[in-house]
Amino acid sequence: QVQLVESGGGLVHPGGSLRLSCAASGSIRSINTMGWYRQAPGKQRELVATITSGGGTNYADSVKGRFTISRDNAKNTVYLQMISLKPEDSAVYYCTANLRRTYTFNYNDYWGQGTQVTVSS
C-alpha cells in the first residue's frame, strides 16, 4: 500500500508565501517523477510543476519565477515553495508520484488527497 500525504495549505494574503509538502510512504521500491497539480472550482486540473529523480524541473508558465519545486529523495518527499501568491493561485493542490512498488516491475502514478490553498485579502 502507498500513501501520499500533503500538508502546508491554508489561507494567505495576496503577495504572501506558502510551502507545501508531500510525503510518500508505504511499500515503495523507487520513485521517478514527482509533481504538483492544482484544480480550481469549475476548472480542469492543471500541471503546476514536476521534478525528476535527478532534479530536473518543469513549471507551468503561470508560476515560473514564483514557485520552486524540490525534493528529498531520502525522505520520499516533494516540496513546493510558493511566493508572490495571487488570488488566481487559489485551488486544491495535489501531489503526484510516479513510483514502483516493492516486488513489482512497473511504474504507476499515485495521487495525494489534496490540500486547499486560498489567496485572498
Side-chain angles (χ1 to χ4, degrees):
Q1 199 170 9
V2 171
Q3 276 192 314
L4 273 65
V5 179
E6 300 109 333
S7 60
L11 173 64
V12 64
H13 292 307
S17 301
L18 279 176
R19 188 191 193 214
L20 305 183
S21 301
C22 173
S25 63
S27 55
I28 297 170
R29 175 68 177 85
S30 64
I31 302 178
N32 190 5
T33 299
M34 303 184 81
W36 291 93
Y37 284 70
R38 67 187 181 186
Q39 187 167 19
K43 294 188 176 181
Q44 289 189 332
R45 190 173 296 189
E46 63 176 3
L47 169 73
V48 177
T50 61
I51 184 167
T52 67
S53 57
T57 59
N58 179 51
Y59 295 92
D61 288 343
S62 59
V63 307
K64 282 180 181 177
R66 300 187 299 120
F67 291 10
T68 303
I69 190 170
S70 60
R71 64 190 282 176
D72 184 332
N73 290 331
K75 296 181 179 180
N76 289 340
T77 299
V78 63
Y79 306 96
L80 186 69
Q81 178 67 51
M82 305 183 291
I83 66 171
S84 302
L85 282 160
K86 306 174 181 181
E88 50 264 42
D89 293 318
S90 298
V92 177
Y93 283 69
Y94 298 90
C95 78
T96 182
N98 181 253
L99 61 85
R100 175 185 166 191
R101 294 181 60 182
T102 52
Y103 308 116
T104 68
F105 297 97
N106 297 322
Y107 283 84
N108 292 291
D109 293 330
Y110 291 80
W111 293 83
Q113 80 288 351
T115 185
Q116 178 71 47
V117 171
T118 302
V119 184
S120 176
S121 54

